[in-house]
Amino acid sequence: MRQKQKNRKILTGCFALSLFFHVLAVVFFQRYTLWFSSPQKVGEQNQCLSLVDKKARDEILKVAFEPIASEIIQKETAIEPQQEKIAAFILRSKVQFPDNESSNIFQSPFSLPANSFLASKPIFPTFTVPIESFNLLDHLPKDLIVPVPAKQPPIAFNPMPTQSKLQLSAKSPTVLETIPSAMITQAEPTDLFLTEEHIAAKTPAMIPIPNLSKLPTLDELETSSYSDSFDADLTFFPKDDGSGYIFALTLIPQPQLELSRIRQHITFLIDRANSIQQGRLTATKAAVHKALAELNPEDTFNIIAFDSKMEKMSPNSLPCVRSSFAVAEEFLEKIHLGSFFSTSDLYRPLFLTVPGHVENDEIYTAILLTDAETLNKKGAQRSILQDWTQYNNGKVALYAIGMNNDHNLATLDAATAFNRGKLLNSPTNRGLKRKLLKLIKTIQNPVAKNVSCNAISRSPQSKITLFPQSFQTSNLFIDQPFVILGETETLDDFILFVQGRLKNRWLNIKKTISFLNAKKGTRSLKQEWAVQKSYHLYQNYLNDNDPKHIVEAEAILDPYDQQVIFQ
């Protein structure tokens, strides 16, 4: 406790002592003035301080605010610079200061010695340049100098003047002269009717902007793809000489496939020559009568009976209605066997079946029932296989029905193959009706025509050839398989393209064919390939008359006991 009281007394004493010294310092500063100056010489500083201490405060203020006579700073004579000579260009202009000019910026407000360095006049250096002109381009390398192209004046755009011819005509209404009266009336205003006839100026023709190339879509090309609507079945067989393979590719339409049917015009050609004999002619007429009932109501038909002469049921094809069938039945009853010396001429009735123009939504078909007895001569063979085929040009599909004992079936078969058709053989007269009805059902629903097939192998070293050729390919029917024969050098995969004309669009089928799951063919495949190969040789013979084509065809067909034509 005592210690705390002792500490408190010490603290109080220190505080009082500090307060005393602070008060003393304030009184001292109020009574006396302190002067501070920059370091100078010791003698001069003591002299100034002693002078200040001796003067009273009011005297100091009087001296501070009274104007002091300015001391003129002595100036040293500046060195006169040499006068510059005029050169090609001046680096720096000469700087001159006025003489005898007093400067008081360095004068002290007190009587203190002035700084001699600040009071002296500055001296600036001068330069002289040779009088000769100096061209910098003459001293640079020539390869560094890039000429500056001369500026061309901008091309003035003169717009094409547009001439406008305005013809103005003023028509004033007729003013009736009236006798002036004494009455004052207000004159009616006269209206001037102006008609303006504007002749538009001819505008310059605009330059058409070319359209950028664009790949058309299938809809723009009116093409439909049915690649997934057909199944492919492939069989193959190696060639006897080991040079490659032959194959048969069958396109089978799926059951749910729906395509618009193309209207068909069918013409029945009945051979009534004496070589037919009565029994066969009677069976032929009965078969045609039965086949009429199987025709589609949308189709039309006609009948032509011929030997050396021809009879046509109707000048134009008739619709498949009951009245037309009655006309056909009456016409069939009038067909009789020709005389003993009568022969048939196939070219003339076939000529009548070819139309002048074929629409996209129609097909023409000719069904020939004959024994082809007159085709045993080369002239008759050439007239059908070459002349009529060229005239027909694929417009009419030719089908034929014969009997197994006919002599010229090979020629008749080639004629049908050249014209998108097929030959059917019957062993007996009664079988003619069955063959004809089968044919009618086969071709009853055509959906595409002008079918063409192409194949591209995935191997560059392999070559693929397809049969038949494009102008010989048969029409496509909705419920019938489509068979394509071909030969290839290797068993590499290939891409098949099938195109044809539908009723209102184009058909497009693209399928990749592989031999991995292909079946091995039989002897019938080799026989069919030999027949297709012989057709190609027959065409070469018709073009160049070279008999070596017939010899080669005979060598191909001999192992299969097939008849060779043009012998």
Side-chain angles (χ1 to χ4, degrees), residues 89-237:
F89 57 92
I90 300 174
L91 296 179
R92 184 184 295 274
S93 60
K94 183 177 179 181
V95 181
Q96 296 181 357
F97 292 90
D99 297 336
N100 301 326
E101 182 180 356
S102 61
S103 175
N104 56 1
I105 59 176
F106 302 105
Q107 185 176 0
S108 176
F110 306 102
S111 300
L112 300 177
N115 195 330
S116 61
F117 177 77
L118 296 176
S120 62
K121 186 177 181 180
I123 301 174
F124 296 94
T126 58
F127 303 92
T128 60
V129 181
I131 300 177
E132 293 80 4
S133 61
F134 179 78
N135 190 0
L136 182 61
L137 297 179
D138 295 339
H139 297 272
L140 293 176
K142 299 300 181 179
D143 53 351
L144 296 180
I145 302 175
V146 180
V148 179
K151 294 184 178 180
Q152 297 181 356
I155 301 175
F157 174 73
N158 296 325
M160 181 180 295
T162 303
Q163 298 180 358
S164 177
K165 299 180 180 180
L166 299 178
Q167 296 181 0
L168 302 178
S169 61
K171 297 181 180 180
S172 58
T174 305
V175 180
L176 299 177
E177 295 181 358
T178 57
I179 301 174
S181 60
M183 298 179 61
I184 300 175
T185 59
Q186 183 178 1
E188 296 181 357
T190 302
D191 296 333
L192 296 179
F193 299 95
L194 300 180
T195 60
E196 179 180 344
E197 183 180 357
H198 178 70
I199 301 177
K202 294 183 179 180
T203 58
M206 300 297 294
I207 300 176
I209 300 176
N211 296 327
L212 298 178
S213 58
K214 177 184 176 182
L215 294 177
T217 61
L218 292 179
D219 293 336
E220 294 174 347
L221 294 176
E222 297 183 354
T223 303
S224 299
S225 178
Y226 292 92
S227 301
D228 299 333
S229 301
F230 289 83
D231 298 327
D233 182 64
L234 181 64
T235 59
F236 73 98
F237 201 91

Side-chain angles (χ1 to χ4, degrees), residues 139-382:
H139 297 272
L140 293 176
K142 299 300 181 179
D143 53 351
L144 296 180
I145 302 175
V146 180
V148 179
K151 294 184 178 180
Q152 297 181 356
I155 301 175
F157 174 73
N158 296 325
M160 181 180 295
T162 303
Q163 298 180 358
S164 177
K165 299 180 180 180
L166 299 178
Q167 296 181 0
L168 302 178
S169 61
K171 297 181 180 180
S172 58
T174 305
V175 180
L176 299 177
E177 295 181 358
T178 57
I179 301 174
S181 60
M183 298 179 61
I184 300 175
T185 59
Q186 183 178 1
E188 296 181 357
T190 302
D191 296 333
L192 296 179
F193 299 95
L194 300 180
T195 60
E196 179 180 344
E197 183 180 357
H198 178 70
I199 301 177
K202 294 183 179 180
T203 58
M206 300 297 294
I207 300 176
I209 300 176
N211 296 327
L212 298 178
S213 58
K214 177 184 176 182
L215 294 177
T217 61
L218 292 179
D219 293 336
E220 294 174 347
L221 294 176
E222 297 183 354
T223 303
S224 299
S225 178
Y226 292 92
S227 301
D228 299 333
S229 301
F230 289 83
D231 298 327
D233 182 64
L234 181 64
T235 59
F236 73 98
F237 201 91
K239 292 183 179 180
D240 296 336
D241 55 1
S243 60
Y245 304 87
I246 58 176
F247 63 88
L249 179 61
T250 305
L251 296 179
I252 305 173
Q254 296 179 358
Q256 66 272 17
L257 177 61
E258 295 182 0
L259 293 174
S260 300
R261 183 183 180 276
I262 300 178
R263 185 179 53 169
Q264 189 169 199
H265 306 281
I266 300 177
T267 302
F268 297 93
L269 303 175
I270 301 176
D271 189 354
R272 63 181 183 183
N274 188 264
S275 60
I276 293 294
Q277 298 181 359
Q278 187 62 44
R280 183 172 178 175
L281 179 60
T282 302
T284 300
K285 293 192 297 181
V288 173
H289 183 269
K290 187 67 175 179
L292 293 178
E294 301 297 331
L295 298 181
N296 193 287
E298 298 178 357
D299 298 339
T300 61
F301 74 98
N302 207 339
I303 302 175
I304 298 177
F306 67 94
D307 49 6
S308 57
K309 299 179 181 180
M310 292 187 305
E311 292 183 13
K312 194 173 183 180
M313 181 188 69
S314 173
N316 300 317
S317 297
L318 301 179
C320 295
V321 295
R322 188 180 299 273
S323 58
S324 300
F325 294 154
V327 175
E329 184 178 359
E330 182 180 356
F331 179 78
L332 290 174
E333 291 178 356
K334 295 180 180 180
I335 297 176
H336 300 287
L337 191 65
S339 62
F340 180 78
F341 298 100
S342 63
T343 58
S344 60
D345 183 6
L346 297 180
Y347 183 84
R348 293 178 61 191
L350 289 175
F351 178 82
L352 295 178
T353 61
V354 180
H357 177 70
V358 181
E359 299 292 342
N360 292 332
D361 59 344
E362 60 182 4
I363 288 177
Y364 285 82
T365 302
I367 301 177
L368 177 61
L369 297 98
T370 181
D371 59 356
E373 189 67 27
T374 57
L375 293 179
N376 56 352
K377 298 179 181 180
K378 290 185 178 181
Q381 294 173 350
R382 183 177 291 273

Side-chain angles (χ1 to χ4, degrees), residues 73-91:
I73 302 175
Q74 297 180 358
K75 300 179 181 180
E76 299 179 359
T77 305
I79 301 174
E80 293 294 332
Q82 296 180 1
Q83 186 177 1
E84 296 180 352
K85 297 181 180 181
I86 300 175
F89 57 92
I90 300 174
L91 296 179

